[in-house]
């Protein structure tokens, strides 16, 4: 099988070659990108040929064993990136599961399994456990989990009140000398204050602290210490010391420290989960787009319902109007009109007839066909699903960096705390006082401000974006980029409205448009709708014998035969096309419009030029982005003549026409080697490219799949909001750096103070809280500085 020189995808029957360019390509877009690389000053420069250093290579999805199957599951309860390694190890321990790949970014797990060993229905139960719950994509979350997530912060504050109130009323005043110390040792105070403190603290540490304790356990299980481990150690140390002190009758207990640390961390984790969860759900929507049942031809020639998984190469499937074609294949019977715009980006639906190839995932607008399944029994939609999984499963950003930092930071802090305790003991300080110094080191170094520095900044950036009528679905994009050197636009539905409209009519008779509308009124093709709308009623005519042909429709109108459709369809029917109208057809194409001819009684009498209308403000937006030094690129499945108006615009640097959907992702990947890249699109075919780009922006009027794959959705389909997205990104990135700088600086100052014995655990907890408060204030302030 021949593969594309650029993206390694199969070229199929529509391979593209060009004299002077080495190689064979799957589409014109790949050829142009290859030419771009070859024309560079140093074509062997690895930067042009490889993935940018900031991106991770996607996991190779290939499965060589034909007996294995793949399943995608949603996973509830993922707490941090360490969960990925833990769940992968847990899943592969299950008999029959050959491979597992987990994405914390999308809360999904991809399992490669042997259906002879384990049933598909048993997979969720095999993966669930230790606080994780796996389910089919789109299945409702567990009620207990959703309630806890929704009210996590409120529960944290409410549960802390029974602990903090006694400290504020009795314990702190005694420490400050307002009450004599003997006041705390009375039996009544012990019963009213310290017994409830011990009970409530135990419940809070075990209940509210469960996600953090589990995260710490997972980190230890996979030998990757994380921030949760340090938090858990600080909380458990404060709790264990306080419980031991309470049992022996001491009143110097630090239950408040354990509770305060948990509350601060819980708030931070909740904010992170909230801003991340909005990006989850892509695979549920993609799975919904798949046909689960098909009408398969049996041995007797009849068609009956069958499961999609039961179909193989050369099986025959009947597809009716309104149905989605389940597999790539070839039409063997019937004619129809296929809407491939979501998959290929081509704005005009395509007529298909016996012998022509069709792509899985396209929808039949009208007609009925029998499709013979292709050799690999897969569909273009299947490949987009797999491609989108690989792209979105990469995980980058400051939050991941925080967990990487914890791998070194956690052992270091533990060593410092243990060393400080040992040194003070050796210096003659009492055991209790030395332990307090060690505990102070653990508490003061608890990286709460580090943990909330990123999610708080992202939440604030998302709020600022919402004020500008843009919704940030994947807020981590705001930390990944400060600007975009390359902005890539899809054409159909993005720079254009995606709806066909009549541009002009070439005819000798001004009734030609009404004549065409009389026939097209009985069709549901987008071009037909545009003609009917432009005719706006017209002459009252009698229409009989309507017939839907390949790439044309015909009928008898007021006793005369009328045919409307593609020029080649009318010509192949033997109808004459006078030179005047042949010239009009060619002129229409040169202008980038779509010609539709109208014939009567065996001869063409008019040409209707239709176009996909550009958005009103597209030029202003492109000009504004280009003026800031960005390179503007357009990708489209339409041919070159339909994009000439874009080529002629001075702000547009490159137009790649005739691009296949899989190739869009490959082209964006190559463009990223030239600089930070933003992709703007609206269709399902744009989804992998939106996910692959450093920042993907979808329009609200686009498909659900495109919006879920994107990082940002522009409301009201307003392209004018794009410049504001880049400004919000720059501001958010700046705030994240400021917060992380403060968090690291705080630890560099506070830990030495704790080692020197200058702060006790309570003061350490207060300092930790103050550090987190400063991060909150900085994240939420207005302005761009």
């Amino acid at each position: 099988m021949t593969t594309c020189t650029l993206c390694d995808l199969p070229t199929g029957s529509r391979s593209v070659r060009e004299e002077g360019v080495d190689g064979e390509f799957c589409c014109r877009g790949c050829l142009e990108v290859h030419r771009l690389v070859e024309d560079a000053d140093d074509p062997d420069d690895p930067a042009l040929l490889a993935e940018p250093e900031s991106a991770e290579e996607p996991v190779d999805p290939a499965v060589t064993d034909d007996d294995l199957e793949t399943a995608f599951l949603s996973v509830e309860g993922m707490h941090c990136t360490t969960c990925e390694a833990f769940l992968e190890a847990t899943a592969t321990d299950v008999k029959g599961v050959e491979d597992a790949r987990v994405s914390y970014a999308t809360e999904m797990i991809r399992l490669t399994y042997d259906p002879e060993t384990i049933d598909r229905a048993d997979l969720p139960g095999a993966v669930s456990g230790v606080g994780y719950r796996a389910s089919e994509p789109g299945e409702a979350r567990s009620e207990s989990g959703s309630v806890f997530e929704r009210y996590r912060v409120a529960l944290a504050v409410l549960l802390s009140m029974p602990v903090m109130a006694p400290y504020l009323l009795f314990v702190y005043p005694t420490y400050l000398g307002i009450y004599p110390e003997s006041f705390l040792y009375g039996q009544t105070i012990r019963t009213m204050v310290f017994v409830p403190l011990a009970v409530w603290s135990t419940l809070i540490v075990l209940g509210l602290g469960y996600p953090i304790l589990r995260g710490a356990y997972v980190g230890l299980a996979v030998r990757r210490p994380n921030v949760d481990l340090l938090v858990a150690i600080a909380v458990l140390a404060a709790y264990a010391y306080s419980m031991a002190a309470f049992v022996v009758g001491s009143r110097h207990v630090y239950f408040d420290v354990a509770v305060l640390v948990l509350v601060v961390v819980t708030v931070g984790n909740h904010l992170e989960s909230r801003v991340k969860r909005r990006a989850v759900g892509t695979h549920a929507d993609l799975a919904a787009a798949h046909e689960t049942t098909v009408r398969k031809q049996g041995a007797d020639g009849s068609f009956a319902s069958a499961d999609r998984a039961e179909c193989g190469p050369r099986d025959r499937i009947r597809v009716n109007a309104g149905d989605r074609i389940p597999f790539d294949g070839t039409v063997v019977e019937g004619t129809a009109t296929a809407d491939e715009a979501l998959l290929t980006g081509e704005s005009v639906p395509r007529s298909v007839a016996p012998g022509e190839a069709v792509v899985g995932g396209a929808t039949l607008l009208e007609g009925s066909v029998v499709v013979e399944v292709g050799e690999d029994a897969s569909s273009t939609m299947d490949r987009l699903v797999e491609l989108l999984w690989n792209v979105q499963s990469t995980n980058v950003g400051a939050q991941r960096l925080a967990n990487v930092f914890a791998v070194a930071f956690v052992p270091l802090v533990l060593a410092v705390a243990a060393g400080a305790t040992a040194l003070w003991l050796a210096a003659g300080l009492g055991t209790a006082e030395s332990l307090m110094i060690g505990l102070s080191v653990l508490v003061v170094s608890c990286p709460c401000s580090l943990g909330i520095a990123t999610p708080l900044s992202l939440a604030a950036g998302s709020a600022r974006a919402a004020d500008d009528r843009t919704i940030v679905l994947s807020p981590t994009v705001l930390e990944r980029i400060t600007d975009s050197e390359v902005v890539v636009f899809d054409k159909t539905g993005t720079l254009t409205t995606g709806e066909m409209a009549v541009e002009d009519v070439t005819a000798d008779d001004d009734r030609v448009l009404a004549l065409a509308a009389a026939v097209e009124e009985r069709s549901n093709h987008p071009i037909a709708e545009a003609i009917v709308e432009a005719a706006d009623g017209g002459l009252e005519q009698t229409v009989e014998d309507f017939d839907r042909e390949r790439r044309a429709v015909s009928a008898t109108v007021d006793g005369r035969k009328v045919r409307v459709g593609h020029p080649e369809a009318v010509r192949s029917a033997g109808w004459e096309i006078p030179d005047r109208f042949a010239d009009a057809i060619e002129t229409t194409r040169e202008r980038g419009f779509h010609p539709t001819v109208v014939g009567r009684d065996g001869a063409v009498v008019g040409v209707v030029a239709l176009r996909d209308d550009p958005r009103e403000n597209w030029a202003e937006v492109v000009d504004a982005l280009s003026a800031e030094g960005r390179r503007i690129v357009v990708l489209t499945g339409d041919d070159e003549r339909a994009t000439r108006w874009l080529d002629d615009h001075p702000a547009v640097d490159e137009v790649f026409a005739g691009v296949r959907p899989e190739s869009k992702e490959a082209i964006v990947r190559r463009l990223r080697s030239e600089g930070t890249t933003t992709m703007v699109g609206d269709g399902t075919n744009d989804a992998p490219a939106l996910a692959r780009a450093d920042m993907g922006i979808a329009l609200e009027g686009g498909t659900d799949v495109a919006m879920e794959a994107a990082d940002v959705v522009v409301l009201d389909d307003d392209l004018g909001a794009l410049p504001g997205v880049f400004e919000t990104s720059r501001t958010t990135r700046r705030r994240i750096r400021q917060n992380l700088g403060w968090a690291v600086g705080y630890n560099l100052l506070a830990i030495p103070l704790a080692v020197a014995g200058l702060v006790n655990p309570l003061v350490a907890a207060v300092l930790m809280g103050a550090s987190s408060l400063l991060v909150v204030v900085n994240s939420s302030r207005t302005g761009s500085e």
Side-chain angles (χ1 to χ4, degrees):
M1 179 182 294
T2 305
T3 59
C4 177
T5 302
L6 179 76
C7 66
D8 292 328
L9 292 170
T11 58
S13 60
R14 296 187 293 177
S15 63
V16 178
R17 296 174 179 269
E18 184 170 298
E19 186 176 351
V21 179
D22 294 333
E24 185 172 348
F25 305 89
C26 63
C27 66
R28 171 63 58 176
C30 280
L31 185 149
E32 293 299 333
V33 172
H34 179 76
R35 191 206 309 277
L36 186 68
V37 173
E38 291 298 310
D39 290 344
D41 292 336
D42 182 6
D44 295 324
D45 184 352
L48 291 174
L49 305 175
E51 186 73 9
E53 291 183 4
S54 60
E56 295 183 1
E57 287 296 328
V59 177
D60 183 3
V63 177
T64 57
D65 191 342
D66 293 337
D67 294 330
L68 300 181
E69 295 184 4
T70 301
F72 292 96
L73 300 176
S74 297
V75 181
E76 177 185 342
M78 294 184 68
H79 188 60
C80 66
T81 53
T82 311
C83 295
E84 293 178 339
F86 181 81
L87 282 169
E88 287 171 1
T90 300
T92 51
D93 284 341
V94 177
K95 186 177 181 180
V97 177
E98 302 298 326
D99 185 57
R101 293 290 183 267
V102 180
S103 169
Y104 170 62
T106 57
E107 293 188 340
M108 298 287 295
I109 182 171
R110 187 188 70 188
L111 300 173
T112 303
Y113 68 100
D114 181 1
E116 298 296 326
T117 305
I118 183 170
D119 291 334
R120 174 70 171 77
D122 295 334
L123 291 176
V127 177
S128 300
V130 199
Y132 301 106
R133 177 179 176 269
S135 60
E136 295 294 335
E139 185 177 316
R141 295 170 61 85
S142 65
E143 187 64 24
S144 60
S146 60
V147 169
F148 180 75
E149 289 293 331
R150 189 179 306 170
Y151 302 109
R152 174 186 271 186
V153 174
L155 286 171
V157 174
L158 288 175
L159 290 175
S160 68
M161 291 177 64
V163 173
M164 299 309 300
Y167 270 95
L168 292 172
L169 294 175
F170 304 109
V171 180
Y172 294 160
T174 301
Y175 290 166
L176 296 174
I178 297 176
Y179 304 144
E181 187 171 352
S182 60
F183 173 76
L184 295 179
Y185 286 87
Q187 184 61 37
T188 302
I189 292 297
R190 182 183 189 279
T191 303
M192 292 177 55
V193 175
F194 288 96
V195 171
L197 277 179
V199 173
W200 274 106
S201 297
T202 301
L203 295 176
I204 292 171
V205 168
L206 296 179
L208 186 63
Y210 172 74
I212 296 168
L213 297 176
R214 190 195 63 182
Y217 162 74
V218 169
L220 289 174
V222 296
R223 295 181 178 85
R224 287 171 53 183
N226 51 19
V227 172
D228 285 337
L229 179 58
L230 189 57
V231 174
I233 290 173
V235 169
L236 291 178
Y239 170 77
Y241 176 87
S242 301
M243 186 61 73
F246 168 71
V247 170
V248 300
S250 173
R251 296 298 182 261
H252 291 281
V253 293
Y254 296 96
F255 292 119
D256 55 334
V257 174
V259 171
L260 182 60
V261 170
L262 280 178
V263 170
V264 172
V265 174
T266 297
V267 171
N269 287 343
H270 171 71
L271 289 170
E272 179 191 3
S273 298
R274 197 171 116 191
V275 298
K276 180 174 70 70
R277 192 171 301 282
R278 298 180 67 177
V280 177
T282 300
H283 285 78
D285 288 338
L286 286 171
H290 283 211
E291 299 292 341
T292 56
T293 60
V294 298
R295 293 192 61 78
K296 177 182 175 182
Q297 188 176 43
D300 60 355
S302 63
F303 291 87
S305 295
D307 191 275
R308 188 175 185 275
E310 298 174 3
C311 298
R314 292 180 293 283
D315 282 340
R316 295 191 171 188
I317 309 295
R318 177 171 293 282
V319 186
N320 298 320
D323 292 342
R324 190 183 300 274
I325 300 173
F327 301 99
D328 292 351
T330 304
V331 176
V332 295
E333 179 183 323
T335 60
T337 302
D339 182 1
E340 301 175 348
L342 294 181
L343 297 167
T344 66
E346 296 181 4
S347 54
V348 180
R350 182 170 68 96
S351 297
V352 294
E356 295 191 352
V358 290
V359 295
T363 302
L364 290 193
L365 296 178
E366 54 189 9
S368 176
V369 295
V370 175
V371 176
E372 183 175 282
V373 179
E375 289 300 320
D376 58 357
S378 68
S379 73
T380 299
M381 179 69 81
D382 291 330
R383 293 193 292 274
L384 292 177
V385 170
E386 192 71 26
L387 191 57
L388 184 56
W389 159 265
N390 288 332
V391 173
Q392 287 200 327
S393 293
T394 60
N395 190 17
V396 296
Q399 199 60 29
R400 181 185 179 111
L401 180 61
N403 281 294
V404 173
F405 171 73
V407 173
F409 185 68
V410 172
L412 178 62
V413 169
L414 292 176
V416 170
T421 301
L423 286 174
W424 281 105
L425 281 172
L429 195 66
T431 302
E433 290 81 358
S434 298
L435 288 174
M436 281 300 95
I437 290 175
L439 178 59
S440 296
V441 171
L442 292 175
V443 173
V444 81
S445 65
C446 181
C448 299
S449 56
L450 180 66
I452 66 175
T454 297
L456 273 177
S457 298
L458 297 179
S462 299
R464 285 191 292 271
D467 292 339
D468 295 331
R469 301 294 293 161
T470 54
I471 302 301
V472 181
L473 299 176
S474 179
T476 56
V477 71
L478 299 179
E479 65 170 307
R480 294 201 302 265
I481 67 171
T482 56
D483 209 337
S484 222
E485 287 85 5
V486 183
V487 180
V488 184
F489 286 95
D490 167 57
K491 181 183 82 72
T492 305
T494 302
L495 293 177
T496 67
T497 62
E499 299 176 357
M500 303 301 294
V502 173
E503 177 68 17
D504 57 41
V505 179
T506 302
D508 295 328
D509 188 340
D510 58 8
R511 296 175 299 175
V512 164
L513 189 62
L515 188 68
V519 180
E520 292 283 23
E521 192 174 20
R522 287 154 177 77
S523 176
N524 60 355
H525 193 285
I527 287 180
E529 295 172 358
I531 291 175
V532 172
E533 182 179 353
D536 193 22
L539 301 175
E540 293 293 333
Q541 300 167 94
T542 302
V543 180
E544 300 174 320
D545 302 325
F546 176 80
D547 186 24
R548 184 178 290 108
E549 304 171 2
R550 182 175 180 269
R551 307 178 78 181
V553 291
S554 63
T556 302
V557 181
D558 291 340
R560 305 179 69 176
K561 187 69 172 180
V562 175
R563 178 173 276 110
V564 183
H566 192 278
E568 295 306 318
V570 175
R571 181 181 284 111
S572 63
W575 287 39
E576 178 189 359
I577 302 181
D579 292 343
R580 174 172 178 253
F581 295 120
D583 292 341
I585 291 170
E586 189 60 28
T587 300
T588 298
R589 287 171 172 163
E590 289 298 323
R591 295 168 64 194
F593 302 154
H594 301 281
T596 293
V597 299
V598 183
R600 183 173 53 196
D601 293 337
V604 169
V605 295
V607 177
V608 180
L610 299 103
R611 74 175 298 172
D612 183 3
D613 279 336
R615 292 184 183 271
E616 292 183 359
N617 63 341
W618 81 270
E620 290 84 351
V621 171
V622 168
D623 287 340
L625 295 176
S626 177
E628 295 178 354
R630 298 183 179 92
R631 180 182 171 201
I632 306 299
V633 177
V634 178
L635 301 181
T636 178
D638 286 339
D639 65 32
E640 295 175 349
R641 287 177 294 189
T643 63
R644 192 158 295 157
W645 57 280
L646 289 166
D647 263 325
D648 293 338
H649 194 280
V652 177
D653 297 285
E654 296 282 347
V655 177
F656 297 132
V659 179
R660 290 172 60 182
E662 302 97 324
S663 300
K664 284 189 175 183
E665 184 271 341
I667 292 172
V668 168
R669 176 155 36 93
R670 286 300 176 93
L671 289 173
R672 286 182 65 196
S673 68
E674 302 177 16
T676 307
T677 300
T678 293
M679 172 71 189
V680 187
D682 74 312
T684 299
N685 66 300
D686 300 319
L690 287 166
R692 169 63 69 186
D694 294 292
M695 178 162 64
I697 302 177
L699 303 185
E700 183 185 21
T703 66
D704 290 342
V705 173
M707 288 191 285
E708 289 293 348
D711 303 293
V712 178
V713 173
V714 176
L715 300 180
D716 308 322
D717 283 358
D718 182 15
L719 283 178
L722 292 183
V725 174
F726 297 120
E727 178 58 34
T728 298
S729 176
R730 284 193 294 268
T731 300
T732 303
R733 177 83 169 190
R734 189 181 301 114
R735 296 285 167 79
I736 290 174
R737 288 176 173 174
Q738 291 169 349
N739 289 345
L740 291 177
W742 163 253
V744 173
Y746 156 78
N747 277 286
L748 292 176
L749 178 64
I751 291 177
L753 291 176
V755 170
L758 299 178
V759 296
N760 61 32
L762 178 59
V763 174
V766 172
L767 288 175
M768 183 202 67
S771 172
S772 300
L773 180 62
L774 185 61
V775 168
V776 172
V777 172
N778 185 55
S779 299
S780 58
R781 66 186 176 90
T782 58
S784 59
E785 296 302 322

